[in-house]
Amino acid sequence: MSFSNLQRISIHYDEAVVQNMIAMIKHAPFPSRAPIDAKEPWTLGIDYDYLRELKHKFETDWQWARLESEINRFDNHLVEYSTSEGDQLELHFIHQRSNRADAIPLILLHGWPGLFADFRKVIEPLVNPSSPEVPAFHVVVPSLPGFFKSTLPRREGWNLFDIAKLFNSLMTDLLGYKEYAGQGGDWGSMIARIMSNKYPESLTAVHFNMFIATPSGNLSELSESQLRLLQRSKHIGETGAGYRNIQKTKPFTIGIAIASSPLAILTYIGEKFHDWSDPARVDPQDTIDIAALYFLSGSFATSVVIYSQTPKDAHKIYDTIDLLNLQVKSKAFGFSAFPYEISVGLKDSIAPFGNLTFYKEHQGGGHFPALDSPNELIGDLREFFGKKLD
Amino acid sequence: MSFANLRQISVHYDENTVQNMLSMLKHAPIPSQAPIDAKAPWSLGMDYDYLLFLKQKFETEWKWERVEAEINSFNNFMVDYTTGEDSLQLHFVHQKSKRADAIPLLIIHGWPGTFLDFRKVIEPLTNPPSSDLPAFHVVAPSLPGYFMSTISRRDGWNLTDTAKLMNGLMTEWLGYKKYVGQGGDWGAIIMRIMSSLYADSMAAVHFNMFRSFLPDDTDKSKFSKIEKFVLARRDEFTSTGFGYNVIQTTKPFTIGLAIASSPLAILSYIGEKLYCWSDPDRVDPQDILDTVALYFLSGCFASSVVIYSQSSKQRTEVNLPPKDGLWPVKTRSFGFSSFPYEVGGSAKAPLEAYGNLAFYKEHEHGGHFPALDNAAEFVEDLREYFGANF
């Protein structure tokens, strides 16, 4: 992997482009009521009233200028890179350095339908804690290839191992962090897991808020909270996995279709943001911000390709390497259990995969903890990484 | 159950409405190339080049006037239907033959089809070129939730309710005490229910889709070329073509409202099915565009997918082994036409366990919408089977 042409960039979209998006939302066909009267809200997909409010907020309250300045408070970069397979690609990432000499380099990895901006509430506190007693971090937040401004190779076959290699190179080669820490959820958690398996001498401490492990052990002896995690995961699997099937098998169909309409993006990912988050904490503005970034960057269609590039079984990366069996070889391995996470990580089920030295359950929060529970996530990262890299 | 307020209608959409659709299509974001280069066309969903071709044709050549004239060349009706908990309005074509011996035929479409799937067969069926050939009074309804047929607000309306409505339409409202039925897709599943519940009114039933149960250890070596082809299509459908079904079953509001918001979204999402489920040598792009236009102009896309969430139980039931006996075909006989590109087809032998199979014919051409891509042979089969079995 070789990097070239590193540039600092500002993220900017013209007013005309933003207004066009808003106009499209305003004029998109939208029924005056739900298709039918669902017996219970959210049981047939996105709740109509919730969507109508999101749409209304997008059209009236929401301002791109606020989001643009928020994103540009951070140091955004674009770098070109080429791989040994001959791909010529671009990677977008935030690189926020701390003033602290003892700051820990930390890469934060998003997933779908998230974006780098998922982490915008945690970057500053992590980089600049208010007390010298508390660990500080140099924070790196890349956009996964296919998301926002990070490009995808044209060829089929680019997969999570390639991304893991890319991100490790980003940290060690481009940015010069020979040892670093990592954190991931959703696709980010699988990438972090591969990195912890392939590059443990570099990724020395790794934290997850999602960790796929088949529930094992005596499930009848689970604590109430662990049992709730299990039931939640089962429920999501039974009622919320359609997106994964269609994105895995027909990414072009769904990708191009949804990308064609900001209301389609708002609806499609709005349902996931609500269903996968803590309903008491999910902020509609976060959902609208992410929908806007997908639409403005034109990256929705490429964002779903990742689902099709893992072989038939979504958890197998290659036929011979099963992600479910991938060991975490980093010296330290930590997990934060948020109750509304969609994929269960029971303590006894994930502990066999590495040196699990940190497992904390929370009372609230979901699949996007950096958005709906930033203080808890920050607290966990400080506690886990601060301890481990002394 | 009551029918009231029958009125003959003309179908009409304003020039402005049609131009608005085309304008939305023209201005919708579409990537400048496929998200990535698929190893084989259609292997990752909608083929990008074909989508561009369809879009271009839609914007430049396609004319609503032709479709409107064709629809209005038939007799279109609306009727109000009320029963216990439900009320809806039903649209249907009722084309009477001049022949005194004409056979009343109820013919039902599925998803993503419309009543207009039968446009090429209505006239030949009602007006055969020879008095030796059977003639039919054709009744082609729009399923509840499709085109101008509204949907019950009730979360729980299922195929038994639809079957009751359709049988009532034929026997009570239109006075056809004995009639025959034909169906594909949801139409086929509804016909399974009707042929089980209303065999006293339904003299004969014909299917072009019938997902007969096939034990895993079936020796397929003795199957005909078409049987093997059809079964391979079925397997492919189950493994890589089923995502739409899962998402529509579990999150109909999400996918329904999202896709309905953009004509390009509808074109991509159902265009892929209309192409991939058809005979690639016979599929007419104009039929695809006409169908897409009907879905968008009538605003029915979101209600069209509700059936998946309401009727998945019955859909599963009709696919059970016949010995489990949930929906036996109780009409005196039934017929099946095997079109090679069908996605839910059957070999001959497994059909015989469901009822009295009096007609089975294999074809070299045609797919899931045979009334569109092999109209001539579809008509021949109905004449042959119903002519001998009414």
Side-chain angles (χ1 to χ4, degrees), chain A residues 235-257:
Chain A
H235 174 73
I236 293 279
E238 284 164 7
T239 65
Y243 80 97
R244 209 168 58 217
N245 189 324
I246 198 171
Q247 287 166 206
K248 189 182 0 162
T249 54
K250 310 286 183 201
F252 286 10
T253 301
I254 192 71
I256 296 174

Side-chain angles (χ1 to χ4, degrees), chain A residues 120-131:
Chain A
R120 64 193 185 284
K121 302 179 193 181
V122 306
I123 295 175
E124 179 62 18
L126 287 170
V127 166
N128 254 335
S130 46
S131 153

